[in-house]
Amino acid sequence: MKLLTDKQKAAIDELLEKMTLEEKIGQMNQISPSIVGGFDVSFEELIEMMTDGRISKEEFGRLMAGAKQDFHDDVNRAGGLSSVLVSDPEVINSLQKIAVEQTRLGIPLIIGFDVIHGFRTVVPIALAEAGTFEPELFEKTGRIAAKESRASGIAWHFAPMLDISRDARWGRISEGPGEDPYLASVFAKARIRGLQNDDENPENYVAACLKHYVAYGACESGRDYNTTSMAKSMLHNTYLPPFKAAVEEGAATVMASFNDLNGVPCTVNNYTLRKILKEDYGFEGFVVSDANAIRECIIHGIAEDEQDAAVKAASAGMDMDMGTWIYSKELKSAVESGKLDITCIDEAVRRILGIKMRLGLFEKPYVTEEEMHRYDKLPEEHLAHALEVAEKSIVLLKNNDVLPLKKTAKISLTGALADMPEEVLGSWAISGRADDCVTILQGLKNAGADVSYHPCCGPEGEIDEAEVKAAVLDGDVIIAVVGEFASMSGEASSRADISLPGRQQELLKMLLDSKKPVIAVLMNGRPLALSWESEHVPAILECWHLGVQMGNAVANVLFGDVNPGGKLTCTFPAMTGQCPMYYNTPKTGRPASKSKFTSRYLDAPLEPVYPFGYGLSYTNFKYSDMDIQEEKDCLKVSVVLENTGDRDGSETVQLYMHDVSASIVRPVKEMKGFSKEYLKAGESRKVTITLSKDQMGFYDDDAIYHLEDGRFIIYIGGNSKECLKQEININF
Ligand code: BGC
């Protein structure tokens, strides 16, 4: 996205001059169409019916397809709408037509939509994609999604989701890049470049929306929408960095999160919105609330009524209301009665108009017939990208000489998830289509596998014992596709038990009883507690929800056409009770050890089952000859990496640091860099990663950044646990 030109700035000034107060407030109003009928019960009742299982998801979808919607055309015509959450290009064009041709000032709408991991070409969930450790891929995912959605008239993505999440119980961990602030910051910058790239042609980019600002991933006990409470040092060192990085990269918009932070909901939080984001980071775009969040301030108990909520939000720098209509109803009288300063409104409108101009919406508000159908058939280039990301996201967790499989292997495939097209899409893939999805069964068939299929059981429901009997008789090797339905992660999908849902562990036991080799292929949207599985199942592939090309990617890895190189972006605890569990934990005075009076549980292992950054390969990598060269502004940390096996493969070399003694307690390890390397069998290479001295500091509890002289331990290795290390003394 190009920056505003002087001409555009002047045009905004001119518009602001002409706008009535109502029209200005209209620019701060984002809505979803209201459901006004088409079925016998209310929309709210219908949602409840689906949630409590009275109707299936499919039935809900069928009813919704026939639902009557009110797009509030009259309000639009009066200049009362700024943005609508819709995705149908015909509808979008008709809404734009009203805004552009029938309102007094002809200001176009900005159409926003949840495009979290691909629009039509759905790629792996972000938690998986980040594990490729390849910023070029993160960027390309953004570019493809931008082009596809823009052709439908959607110029604003409610993405990327940048919540650091360290608690696997939280369902929304699936939507973001995981537990590490450094990796999340690299992901954030690359995604912004992809979505908002600085092409001349607005057809190729969209406005990103960083969410959920901020600390939502720290919701207490991993329960969605729950309270968050933390010191400013933790906020600035851990939860803010990806947002800061994305703002530095030019992110256009930000969505405030639902949670309260230290008692103040992020929707009305002066400190996070005005002070940090707008003043300290110099953010020039606009902030939107999360859905219905302004009204929820009344339920939080920090606003008396709707007007109080509106005034608190607008004063705190909340530029746009998503979904409640409260700004429309309340801001005018609030300004007239002196409760709200008009400058809050002018500032918000200036920011919103600025983004609309930068998106080229004034010049090209509509999409053509050709554009609407441009991606009806997914282009080869997009599919190739989806396949590449999916293959590279797969993490080999365990392999006792079972994988890769020979092409001639007689495979018995089990698990209902292996043949459910829509499940490969994962959470928040609203614009993905089941028809485009390749299931694991289909992927194996595409690869020419000799495969027989027996679903046996899914994440819910009983085990079909007859099918299990048939399955164990059928193959030389058994693949069990187990895990979670897509709906078990994402929003409002926290789980109090993160082990394999339902009877799937029992299924694995029954399959193992056959004494045939069993491969667990996991499909899930969060870390699972795999203590038992890691001990008993000879091979485990973490395949997440990989998007439209899932089946092909999994088959390619199973057969060794692709050597897996994905790494975990989040810690896998042994059991739920260890949550939150993450590698970069602050040092206690009594670090966990076998002795009793240390920071540990009596009934759980000290270590996670799989640490952050972990992932095996079909080849082996050896690290040696670590070296650190200190330069004026940085350290050059190098290591010799050797592919000691007989296959080509990739390895993510990871750099961590520990500040041995500082004025506040520092994490036991912090990632500070990485480098993804592709090595031929037998090849060895010196890999050097630069650690800038600026990166070696931390924020204190007054949000002041410190670089403190002293001893540091530098680590380099293939995961957060197994590293070479060296100590160094630094005087900044
Ligand atoms: C979610 C957001 C999303 C918004 C609009 C909310 O419930 O928290 O992530 O962007 O809905 O769909």
Side-chain angles (χ1 to χ4, degrees), residues 85 114 158 172 211-212 255 258 290-291 322 428 491:
L85 203 161
D114 288 284
F158 301 136
R172 304 202 81 168
K211 70 187 193 185
H212 306 84
M255 183 186 292
F258 287 122
D290 203 338
M322 184 187 281
W428 281 114
E491 188 174 354

Side-chain angles (χ1 to χ4, degrees), residues 332-403:
K332 184 163 181 266
S333 57
V335 171
E336 285 166 354
S337 63
K339 284 191 191 149
L340 181 72
D341 198 310
I342 183 73
T343 53
C344 290
I345 297 204
D346 284 341
E347 182 206 307
V349 177
R350 192 177 288 284
R351 287 168 178 271
I352 293 163
L353 292 178
I355 298 300
K356 289 185 176 181
M357 290 213 173
R358 291 176 61 196
L359 284 167
L361 290 168
F362 283 81
E363 290 78 24
K364 187 175 179 303
Y366 308 119
V367 286
T368 63
E369 198 64 27
E370 185 279 320
E371 283 172 308
M372 281 184 203
H373 296 290
R374 192 177 284 170
Y375 298 106
D376 282 353
K377 182 172 177 316
L378 300 181
E380 281 308 315
E381 188 206 343
H382 296 194
L383 286 172
H385 174 72
L387 179 64
E388 181 183 355
V389 183
E391 288 170 346
K392 289 179 171 174
S393 298
I394 294 175
V395 187
L396 179 62
L397 295 178
K398 179 177 176 187
N399 187 16
N400 279 359
D401 287 334
V402 180
L403 290 170

Side-chain angles (χ1 to χ4, degrees), residues 271-327:
Y271 176 62
T272 55
L273 294 177
R274 273 215 192 280
K275 170 79 176 75
I276 300 177
L277 183 67
K278 292 184 174 176
E279 279 176 41
D280 297 350
Y281 294 176
F283 172 67
E284 288 181 350
F286 70 85
V287 181
V288 63
S289 75
D290 203 338
N292 301 320
I294 296 184
R295 177 167 297 111
E296 286 164 19
C297 289
I298 305 171
I299 310 174
H300 269 296
I302 62 100
E304 277 294 326
D305 51 28
E306 294 197 342
Q307 178 152 105
D308 195 21
V311 170
K312 287 203 162 97
S315 313
M318 175 57 66
D319 303 309
M320 195 183 271
D321 166 16
M322 184 187 281
T324 70
W325 295 86
I326 287 182
Y327 274 5

Side-chain angles (χ1 to χ4, degrees), residues 167 170 215-228 259 494:
D167 195 326
W170 192 48
Y216 185 30
C219 51
E220 203 173 277
S221 59
R223 215 176 69 227
D224 210 358
Y225 316 118
N226 205 2
T227 186
T228 61
N259 55 297
S494 296

